[in-house]
Amino acid sequence: MTDHRDAGAVRDLHAFIAGLPKAELHVHHVGSASPRIVAELAARHPDSKVPTDPEALADYFTFTDFAHFIEVYLSVVDLVRTPEDVRLLTYEIARDLARQQVRYAELTITPFSSTRRGIDERAFMDAIEDARKAAEADLGTVLRWCFDIPGEAGLESAEETTRLATDDRLRPEGLVSFGLGGPEIGVPRPQFKPYFDRAIAAGLHSVPHAGETTGPETVWDALVELRAERIGHGTSSARDPKLLAHLAEHRIALEVCPTSNIATRAVRTLEEHPIREFVRAGVLVTVNSDDPPMFGTDLDNEYAVAARLLDLDERGLAGLAKNAVEASFLDDAGKAKLAAEIDTYTTAWLAP
Ligand SMILES: O=C(O)c1cccc(C(=O)CC[C@H]2O[C@@H](n3cnc4c(=O)[nH]cnc43)[C@H](O)[C@@H]2O)c1
Ligand SMILES: [Zn+2]
């Protein structure tokens, strides 16, 4: 997409974004493994097929379609084999987030993928919790977890994820929500209703992916059957005006990940991305990075993309950051504190 804005103004906006305190609501655990982390994990497990050279890795992270993306994603999942790998990955993700002034992140983790590969469930929970506490103490970034069902792995994965998320002896302190990821085609959302019912009854928020690779009917299913409080992507909602009105009326946020949608070829070009339609319809839009190194992006870049697509200035960007705070599962005091920090930063930046 052509950027018609003055180069100096764009530079200033990028500097503003870099310092803006932010919340990240849609980012995957293994999907956040940076080239540095991949190299370190591959050194530990040299039989892996994932390349460690950054150039070869960039090539490896070029996807022909969503199914190819999942295939590559799972090859990186195969690199995470021990509780120490899990801890390293989690802490290093927090470091990357802290560098971008992310104060609060809800990280989507797929515990089923790890436990089925032989990582002990207790050790897995201890590893993520240990990293979470260290990240908060060392870096000031608060991490929370969303455990997601990898839908294509079937109801066995749904049962296992629900058990891990609701068993009081296992359930980690940082867990706030319950999700559903992976391909949507051939994986109808309603079959997961009993699992979401159990997770919601155990106090978790419902945040399934929907409408990323299928139509608006999947988003309706997520809302009606899975009682979604936010929607992962929700891209195809733009094709259903009634759905947009429903999302807007009920303040159900969309976790929009523009670069991800291009990288997986769910949307053809950024110019065609429906984010503008969402905003026009009054939907609570949040901007997120999904699987940042795999898509050659990070949260700062997603804010820059949104600024370009929505023609946002500093106040508009601060508004976008505050949307994420509103849609987050922080408590009221945490929301007020982060919103105030965003305001203070913006006021200071714009002061003459
Ligand atoms: O772990 C397994 O053995 C396994 C077996 C069959 C299927 C799966 C999956 O489908 C895993 C999908 C995996 O992808 C994650 N993810 C990351 N980014 C996205 C996205 O943009 N849209 C949907 N899913 C995404 C998701 O969290 C799952 O862990 C696994
Ligand atoms: Zn996602």
Side-chain angles (χ1 to χ4, degrees):
M1 181 192 178
T2 319
D3 194 335
H4 299 290
R5 296 168 307 168
D6 166 69
V10 170
R11 247 193 328 273
D12 282 356
L13 221 46
H14 284 199
F16 173 79
I17 291 167
L20 179 66
K22 291 176 277 291
E24 162 80 274
L25 304 183
H26 188 124
V27 62
H28 294 261
H29 188 222
V30 172
S32 298
S34 65
R36 182 172 47 83
I37 305 172
V38 167
E40 183 152 353
L41 293 174
R44 290 179 183 190
H45 312 297
D47 59 326
S48 157
K49 64 175 179 187
V50 181
T52 54
D53 166 62
E55 240 172 72
L57 192 60
D59 254 12
Y60 190 67
F61 286 161
T62 302
F63 310 111
T64 51
D65 56 17
F66 190 83
H68 178 219
F69 160 67
I70 293 294
E71 186 188 320
V72 170
Y73 189 92
L74 290 178
S75 71
V76 183
V77 169
D78 283 335
L79 270 179
V80 185
R81 298 185 190 172
T82 68
E84 183 41 42
D85 294 344
V86 174
R87 192 203 177 278
L88 169 84
L89 171 64
T90 314
Y91 187 81
E92 293 303 317
I93 293 169
R95 208 200 291 275
D96 289 339
L97 290 167
R99 216 176 279 125
Q100 296 175 81
Q101 310 307 323
V102 174
R103 303 284 192 262
Y104 172 83
E106 292 172 16
L107 196 57
T108 297
I109 298 185
T110 315
F112 172 79
S113 290
S114 293
T115 56
R116 91 173 298 192
R117 283 168 176 75
I119 301 183
D120 173 74
E121 58 196 35
R122 174 78 272 150
F124 179 85
M125 302 301 176
D126 289 347
I128 58 173
E129 283 294 293
D130 186 49
R132 178 178 73 79
K133 288 175 188 159
E136 191 165 335
D138 302 349
L139 310 164
T141 296
V142 172
L143 294 180
R144 292 291 179 263
W145 318 127
C146 168
F147 278 4
D148 78 332
I149 300 169
E152 206 181 34
L155 296 185
E156 177 209 347
S157 78
E159 178 56 42
E160 175 74 344
T161 308
T162 310
R163 184 182 67 80
L164 295 168
T166 59
D167 181 334
D168 287 339
R169 289 158 304 177
L170 281 172
R171 171 189 175 149
E173 220 182 290
L175 185 66
V176 293
S177 62
F178 197 71
L180 172 58
E184 290 172 38
I185 296 168
V187 188
R189 312 283 97 171
Q191 64 184 313
F192 300 105
K193 177 176 167 46
Y195 307 96
F196 273 75
D197 283 347
R198 280 162 58 196
I200 293 166
L204 297 175
H205 297 281
S206 168
V207 288
H209 286 65
E212 179 184 18
T213 49
T214 58
E217 62 287 349
T218 310
V219 181
W220 281 117
D221 281 345
L223 292 170
V224 174
E225 305 289 345
L226 310 183
R227 292 186 273 161
E229 293 166 68
R230 294 196 313 246
I231 300 285
H233 296 278
T235 318
S236 64
S237 306
R239 307 202 311 244
D240 182 343
K242 276 207 184 105
L243 175 55
L244 288 179
H246 180 93
L247 294 170
E249 184 188 344
H250 296 278
R251 298 297 274 173
I252 293 166
L254 294 184
E255 301 160 0
V256 177
C257 311
T259 301
S260 159
N261 297 146
I262 307 308
T264 63
R265 304 184 191 243
V267 175
R268 231 166 46 86
T269 63
L270 278 176
E271 189 47 55
E272 290 165 78
H273 198 284
I275 189 169
R276 285 189 212 88
E277 280 135 273
F278 297 153
V279 171
R280 229 178 279 131
V283 175
L284 185 61
V285 165
T286 68
V287 165
N288 305 278
S289 64
D290 211 7
D291 303 285
M294 295 188 176
F295 300 145
T297 192
D298 60 17
L299 189 59
D300 282 356
N301 184 57
E302 295 309 292
Y303 271 69
V305 167
R308 199 166 78 221
L309 295 178
L310 299 172
D311 197 21
L312 299 177
D313 60 7
E314 287 87 346
R315 285 193 202 288
L317 283 162
L320 199 58
K322 284 165 77 174
N323 283 357
V325 175
E326 178 183 339
S328 76
F329 300 129
L330 270 166
D331 61 17
D332 287 347
K335 286 185 183 184
K337 185 166 171 251
L338 185 45
E341 202 193 340
I342 292 167
D343 283 339
T344 303
Y345 171 79
T346 308
T347 305
W349 182 274
L350 295 174

